[in-house]
Amino acid sequence: MKKEAGRWLILVLLLLLSASGAEAGAAGRLGFPYIQNYTKQQYKAGNQNWSVTRSPDGVMYYGNSTGLLAYDGNNWQLYQMPHKLIVRAVAADANGRVYAGGFGEMGYWSHDEEGLFRYTSLVGLVPPQHRPADEIWKIYVDGDNVYFQSFTSIFRYQHGKMTVVKASNPFLFLHQAGGRYFAEVISEGLYELRGDSLHFVPGSQQLGSSGILSILPFSEGRILIGTAKNGLFLFDGQQFTPWQNEANEFLKTYQLNNGTLLDGSYYAFGTILNGVVVLDEDGKLVHRLNKSNGLQNNTVLNLFADAAQNLWVGLDNGVDRVEINSPLYFYFDKVGDFGTVYSSIIHGNKIYLGTNQGLYYSNWSPGTPNAAQHLNFRMIENSQGQVWELTVIDGEILCGHNEGTFRVEGSALVKISDVKGGWTIKKLQSDPTVLIQGTYTGLAVYRKGKAGHWAFSHMVSGFGEPGKHVEQDQSGHIWVSHAYKGLYRLALSPDLRQVTDSRSFDESHGLPGSYNVNISRLFNRLLFSTGSGFYHYNEASGRFIPYKELNGKLGPMATSKRVLPATGKKHWFINHGKVALADMSNPQQPRINTSQFSILDGRMVQEYESISKISDTIYLISMDDGFVIYNSEARAQPSMALPSVLIRRVENTAGKQQVLSETGRYRRVLELPYSQNNVRLSYALPYFKQAQVEFQYKLEGYAAEWSPWSDATQKEFTNLGQGEYSFRVRARINGEAVTEATVYRFVVLPPWYATWWAYTLYAVLAAVLLWLGRRLYFRKLQRDQQRIQQRLEQEKQEQLRQEAILHEQKLVKIRNEQLKSELSNKSRELASTALNIVNKNELLQNISHEVNKLQDAEGNRLPERQLKKIQKIILDGMSPQTDWELFENSFNETNANYFKKLKEDYPELTPNDMKLCAYLRMNMSSKEIASLLNITVRGVELRRYRLRKKLNMDPDKNLVEFFMEI
């Protein structure tokens, strides 16, 4: 039995590993749903991805050859198993546990109480004799039961206990179909697992021995069984019936390896050699996906459909995500066969692509659901060069080409104009029998020829500017958009041969710019746009006015540069690479669909966007590397609630970086020490469709306002203060739908000096300090009282001293007043003395004169001897020395040290000079001085003159004032 099991194990491994490089063989070039590739360079783990599952929070997990791989929509994370085992099987339960299995190992990953993602082994619950010694290939979660399957045993884990189920021969794989479990026992057939026992399914030998690799629920209670090389079978509980379908031979040839149910009615099967096929319930081929049209590898190790009906493909080299139910069907030119697509159209039984390399076509089967499945593009002969436009007018395909304009007839071209650069061509509004075309060198006119085909008529003279967009308004004027010079409005002659009036418009006429002004037609009126909103032309003012009514209702699409007609009142709006389909049936409330087309953002050729209508529900959208077919009637995916933003990592960045938590669903509030108050939070939105995802956050307790929207997926906060914080983060998809805010709470603990024990210590210290303070206070109070007593005593002594000083000052004042009085008296006495001396001298002089006149009785003059005696007495009375001594004594009493200071300042002064100085200080007149000095007034003046010279005085200086100032 062991040898048989070994043989099957080797066979399975060879099937899984040997054909990873196989090519598609007979499969042709196919269109396909959008496929997103995740390469090993992106997820940085092993090539092989053996299994896929999704946890309730939306995170995807993959059993990878180097461990458990997790993807949250933004970042990849690898968790390694014990001994770095390969993870062959993964499954997630409703509680967030992720079960994993490898060689001799099975267990689960979960977030512990600290929020870290850790592994718990369950091998220890298995009795030693039954512990696995081979690979765990399948894991299924069913309520509180978890099934692990190896080639030798099935292990059922429930409520912390492990039950082992064995068979007589090795198992191949365990399969779940609805609530039932089936396992193939090698060399015996199919068994159903019920509880802990196996029950043989009669007739299962009919399935052959190539291996049962897929069992899925089917309609009407049946089961769909897929075998490796014998095709698909239906089992109704009684018998097995081969299921005839369009992929049966394909699956037999390329070896079916696994399968999954999609959206309840589609079945996806992965193969060893040629990728994935998708069938509907009728057995019709819906999709065929392989390496040639999007998958990274043809060997499919696992398939998984998530709640949003994304098909996850685990490959022998990488992981792919397929948007199966998208209304957009892609065809990429991955090898550059036909270049950049500028225009595309489906007409008759062919699809045409106008590219920068030429015109290509492929056969097309109208009405066939899988018409885009088999396309083989070939270049039409002689079409090399730039194709600008493809359009159907009156049943004819017209091709605007760099080398002219052509009529397309099947797979051939017929030139109808040599005018270079046919940018745009359309019927005149005023005359549907005439076409007008914008070219490199002006306007071309076309009319129907004799054979009923459109034919070139003439070029319009009088206008030679290139016309990228051409439209006719209701008044008959032709509007032409120049790539760099704004707009032209032309009036043509009745025969349309020449321009009779031309007017140009630019920023000076109200346009927001002159570069690439686009002309569109909406509501049967012309609209003009440059990416700054729509404008319309006001004939009365001759200016362009913003179309506020329309701009306000279009929201973000108001800045669209192009408007293309769709069906009825539906229009395509193209806004800087973004595409929207707007239903304008109610102009007041237009319905704008952008979410379905977000995957096309930036993929169309800028300024040359092309969307062709195939039917009222199907459109062909040109892209820079291919095209997309949009079916507006494709079954819409069920609306699902947006996933919540996940907190994926909380790190401490203070000092050495440390992971604190790997989930926002923390069982207890995270507490950060104050010394580690720098925190970084990483977040993600598990939204896996192509969309622009932006995030917005705020930290309550730190900031009150939400941050601006950004595509950043982490935020770091530094130097947070102590307290409680709530980090709120939400996501916005394609600028529209906004998720509910996810809240993560954490606490920054206070610093050691603000903890309760610190406050207790503070209280004790405060009490001790209070007691010490009280003691010190009383001691200080005593010292203060002593100081106050001393101060009072000092103040008393000071007061007595001040009183003594005041008393003394009063005495001094009295003495000063007395001295002033005495000085005044002395001054008066001095003046009186001087006056008396003068008067005395004058009297004596008068007496001397009178004595000289004395006569005797006889009238004779007295004898000379007697007169001399009298004159001597008079002269002695008038002696200057005597007068000066008297004056000097009085003068010194009132002007102490005056002569001393005068002598020090002017040592050259004589005693007579000193006398004159004293008399001048007394402000005495020359006559009085002459009397005192017993000289003439003339002699006084002479002395005054000499004194001035000795003193070197200015002639203008008053001599009396000078001596009074000394």
Side-chain angles (χ1 to χ4, degrees), residues 487-526:
L487 292 170
Y488 293 92
R489 191 184 69 171
L490 310 175
L492 305 184
S493 60
D495 59 2
L496 305 177
R497 289 191 171 273
Q498 63 181 2
V499 174
T500 60
D501 181 65
S502 175
R503 184 179 179 188
S504 62
F505 300 89
D506 53 23
E507 293 97 328
S508 62
H509 299 89
L511 287 172
S514 300
Y515 180 76
N516 277 338
V517 180
N518 287 275
I519 310 174
S520 305
R521 186 176 295 276
L522 187 67
F523 307 136
N524 202 28
R525 69 185 302 180
L526 296 187

Side-chain angles (χ1 to χ4, degrees), residues 220-475:
E220 300 177 358
R222 293 174 292 175
I223 293 173
L224 177 59
I225 300 174
T227 65
K229 296 181 179 180
N230 297 328
L232 301 174
F233 294 83
L234 292 175
F235 177 54
D236 60 5
Q238 300 296 323
Q239 58 182 357
F240 296 86
T241 306
W243 186 40
Q244 299 302 320
N245 58 79
E246 294 181 357
N248 214 27
E249 292 304 318
F250 177 88
L251 294 173
K252 291 178 182 180
T253 303
Y254 298 109
Q255 300 181 36
L256 181 147
N257 190 37
N258 41 61
T260 190
L261 179 64
L262 285 169
D263 201 21
S265 58
Y266 291 91
Y267 301 88
F269 295 99
T271 69
I272 291 293
L273 302 175
N274 203 357
V276 178
V277 293
V278 179
L279 302 172
D280 61 14
E281 287 185 330
D282 297 326
K284 293 182 178 180
L285 181 65
V286 178
H287 300 297
R288 188 188 303 171
L289 311 172
N290 54 30
K291 187 174 181 179
S292 66
N293 55 31
L295 292 183
Q296 297 180 75
N297 186 266
N298 281 334
T299 300
V300 179
L301 302 182
N302 188 265
L303 293 174
F304 178 83
D306 66 15
Q309 294 305 306
N310 291 299
L311 178 63
W312 294 89
V313 185
L315 297 167
D316 191 56
N317 187 9
V319 176
D320 289 342
R321 181 183 64 85
V322 184
E323 293 188 8
I324 292 294
N325 287 334
S326 172
L328 301 173
Y329 203 75
F330 291 80
Y331 188 98
F332 289 136
D333 177 25
K334 290 185 173 294
V335 296
D337 285 344
F338 48 71
T340 302
V341 178
Y342 281 76
S343 184
S344 55
I345 198 169
I346 293 177
H347 184 69
N349 296 324
K350 289 182 173 55
I351 179 171
Y352 297 92
L353 301 180
T355 77
N356 63 322
Q357 297 179 181
L359 181 61
Y360 292 80
Y361 78 98
S362 177
N363 292 325
W364 174 267
S365 301
T368 302
N370 300 320
Q373 286 282 336
H374 304 279
L375 298 175
N376 184 19
F377 285 99
R378 289 167 289 176
M379 179 184 285
I380 293 180
E381 188 176 356
N382 298 322
S383 70
Q384 292 89 340
Q386 176 71 58
V387 175
W388 292 116
E389 184 179 51
L390 292 173
T391 184
V392 177
I393 302 178
D394 292 349
E396 291 186 11
I397 302 178
L398 299 181
C399 171
H401 196 280
N402 185 62
E403 298 298 327
T405 302
F406 299 84
R407 182 174 68 251
V408 182
E409 295 182 350
S411 58
L413 288 181
V414 177
K415 181 176 280 192
I416 61 175
S417 169
D418 288 322
V419 180
K420 302 288 186 181
W423 259 324
T424 180
I425 186 169
K426 56 190 61 180
K427 287 183 177 182
L428 280 180
Q429 296 287 316
S430 59
D431 187 357
T433 65
V434 176
L435 302 182
I436 192 164
Q437 182 184 43
T439 71
Y440 292 169
T441 56
L443 300 179
V445 175
Y446 296 80
R447 299 179 186 273
K448 287 286 182 73
K450 295 180 180 179
H453 297 300
W454 292 106
F456 175 75
S457 174
H458 61 272
M459 293 292 292
V460 178
S461 63
F463 181 79
E465 298 291 344
K468 187 176 177 183
H469 301 283
V470 178
E471 291 285 351
Q472 185 181 37
D473 62 19
Q474 292 181 342
S475 63

Side-chain angles (χ1 to χ4, degrees), residues 770-785:
L770 183 62
W771 178 77
L772 289 175
R774 188 173 181 275
R775 291 200 61 184
L776 293 174
Y777 171 74
F778 282 112
R779 293 181 66 179
K780 181 177 182 299
L781 184 60
Q782 291 177 354
R783 290 196 299 270
D784 289 345
Q785 288 177 341

Side-chain angles (χ1 to χ4, degrees), residues 188-191 200-208 212 225 235 240:
E188 296 184 20
L190 189 63
Y191 282 77
F200 181 71
V201 180
S204 58
Q205 298 89 338
Q206 183 180 349
L207 300 175
I212 298 172
I225 300 174
F235 177 54
F240 296 86

